[in-house]
Amino acid sequence: AASWKVLNRVGIGMPKKIGTHNGTFHCDEALACYLLHQTDEFRDAEVVRSRDPAVLKTCDIVVDVGGVYDADKLLFDHHQIGFTETFDPEHKTKLSSAGLVYKHFGKSIINKILESDTAGDMLHIKVYDSFIEAIDGIDNGIPQYATDVKQSYSSNTNLSARVSYLNPDWMDENPQPDAQFQLAMALTGSEFRRSVTFYGKSWLFARGFVDRAIQDRYNVDPSGEIIILERFCPWKEHLYNLERELKVEVPIKYVLYADQGGSWRVQCIGVEGEDFQNRKSLPWKGLRDDELSNVSGIPGGIFIHISGFIGGNKTKQGALEMARKALGTESDPKKQKVDQ
């Protein structure tokens, strides 16, 4: 967090003030104000919405207005000419007021939400990548991808769009923009907290399960291309990262895990960065039940998705045999049965 603290400009002991602009509000300053309310310093601060420089000078911190970014002076605008700040050198998306506040206060806010003091760079970056960066990009008008192809449909349900709908309608006879802004803060804040909680308590914890599965892969099959998760968890991103960190030379092709009904799934690992391309698809596409068992020669078949990216078997051993046969190692004499 910023080290320089502004003395309260309206008197010692008075509530602090967070300044932002009035008029139409957006997702970035709504979230920026919510984030500041999660800090000890600005927990009880009043949110003042104005573009009047004299009013903004009475505020202890100013976001999304004022034309200045100076973290030491607690000024966090991004609209000025020459502003190019990004989250770190690895990121290319220019920050909005949300990204600026998160960059300087994010780790301490995450620790507070998780009731921990161990939020490191991995979690700080992950929450930025998965939640904050899209808000930065949309507010700064940065396309998510190349725009030389006409879109097939429009999407107006992202968080930034939903915040925009909270602005008073032009037909409102008695608009209450400040009250609506409080609703925007609550909306962005609830989704931010949900993201932090998921990535801090679920996603990060899953890394250990994936790590153990990769380390044990040669005990599953001599090819080293099949892993078994102790329990289902968010595994995809961890697998790609761990393959790089562990210098896995032969890419893993299939992951096995139990589903909620007690049967087993065998899922193809996709090509990183490609939504619909598998490293090695399953055969028997579209087959189900007895037909699948008869054609594959493996009892207990349940289904293979029509695209071949996932299949099911009634038993762990059956799912493993499906993966082995798909891989071409089913006749390897070294293969061992797995515990049921």
Side-chain angles (χ1 to χ4, degrees):
S3 59
W4 189 86
K5 293 179 168 44
V6 178
L7 291 175
N8 191 282
R9 298 179 177 87
V10 294
I12 301 300
M14 297 294 290
K16 291 192 175 183
K17 294 182 180 181
I18 300 170
T20 191
H21 64 82
N22 58 359
T24 300
F25 54 76
H26 308 97
C27 187
D28 71 312
E29 77 266 19
L31 179 58
C33 291
Y34 175 85
L35 292 176
L36 290 172
H37 273 170
Q38 309 315 300
T39 67
D40 292 335
E41 186 176 359
F42 297 105
R43 178 180 56 202
D44 300 318
E46 174 189 0
V47 175
V48 177
R49 301 181 69 235
S50 175
R51 293 186 184 274
D52 185 341
V55 173
L56 294 174
K57 283 183 179 180
T58 70
C59 297
D60 299 280
I61 186 169
V62 177
V63 299
D64 210 43
V65 68
V68 177
Y69 166 50
D70 188 330
D72 288 339
K73 295 181 178 179
L74 299 179
L75 301 174
F76 295 97
D77 197 12
H78 66 108
H79 296 97
Q80 57 274 20
I81 294 174
F83 178 86
T84 58
E85 190 77 9
T86 61
F87 185 69
D88 60 29
E90 304 302 317
H91 289 80
K92 305 305 179 185
T93 303
K94 187 169 68 172
L95 299 178
S96 68
S97 62
L100 286 171
V101 170
Y102 180 78
K103 178 174 182 174
H104 291 279
F105 296 89
K107 282 187 181 179
S108 63
I109 293 170
I110 289 173
N111 281 334
K112 191 169 184 180
I113 291 173
L114 297 178
E115 298 180 341
S116 168
D117 60 358
T118 59
D121 289 341
M122 180 183 292
L123 188 54
H124 192 215
I125 293 170
K126 181 59 182 176
V127 173
Y128 180 76
D129 288 346
S130 64
F131 189 84
I132 304 288
E133 187 172 19
I135 296 170
D136 288 343
I138 290 171
D139 194 78
N140 283 305
I142 300 171
Q144 187 176 6
Y145 44 80
T147 57
D148 55 347
V149 177
K150 185 178 180 180
Q151 65 181 17
S152 300
Y153 55 88
S154 62
S155 174
N156 299 297
T157 57
N158 60 62
L159 182 57
S160 295
R162 285 182 282 127
V163 166
S164 72
Y165 299 148
L166 291 174
N167 278 282
D169 189 89
W170 69 276
M171 296 183 69
D172 286 350
E173 295 183 359
N174 184 31
Q176 303 290 327
D178 289 347
Q180 292 300 109
F181 184 73
Q182 293 293 324
L183 294 179
M185 287 173 57
L187 173 62
T188 58
S190 66
E191 298 208 8
F192 174 78
R193 294 183 74 92
R194 187 179 302 117
S195 179
V196 168
T197 300
F198 170 74
Y199 287 110
K201 294 186 177 180
S202 175
W203 177 83
L204 197 59
F205 186 66
R207 179 181 167 91
F209 285 88
V210 181
D211 191 357
R212 288 191 292 274
I214 293 175
Q215 301 283 4
D216 193 51
R217 66 192 185 281
Y218 285 106
N219 293 324
V220 172
D221 187 82
S223 68
E225 297 177 61
I226 304 170
I227 64 171
I228 299 177
L229 292 173
E230 301 170 36
R231 56 184 294 186
F232 179 78
C233 62
W235 57 268
K236 293 182 182 179
E237 186 174 4
H238 292 309
L239 183 139
Y240 297 132
N241 289 335
L242 285 165
E243 280 186 326
R244 283 188 286 269
E245 293 173 23
L246 298 173
K247 296 180 171 54
V248 174
E249 294 183 359
V250 180
I252 298 164
K253 305 301 190 302
Y254 303 113
V255 56
L256 276 61
Y257 53 85
D259 64 20
Q260 293 181 342
S263 58
W264 278 78
R265 298 292 178 92
V266 51
Q267 185 169 341
C268 304
I269 294 170
V271 175
E272 188 173 9
E274 299 291 336
D275 290 336
F276 303 108
Q277 185 177 349
N278 301 318
R279 289 177 174 176
K280 189 174 181 62
S281 297
L282 294 168
W284 322 298
K285 297 177 181 179
L287 300 185
R288 304 185 65 88
D289 303 323
D290 289 343
E291 184 181 12
L292 171 59
S293 296
N294 292 334
V295 172
S296 68
I298 302 169
I302 300 176
F303 79 100
I304 300 291
H305 191 275
I306 192 66
S307 68
F309 89 97
I310 193 170
N313 193 282
K314 294 178 181 178
T315 68
K316 185 178 184 180
Q317 188 66 40
L320 178 57
E321 291 303 321
M322 290 171 67
R324 283 172 169 161
K325 182 164 281 193
L327 194 62
T329 63
E330 75 282 2
S331 61
D332 193 318
K334 297 180 181 179
K335 75 174 188 286
Q336 302 293 322
K337 286 192 174 183
V338 296
D339 294 334
Q340 298 299 310

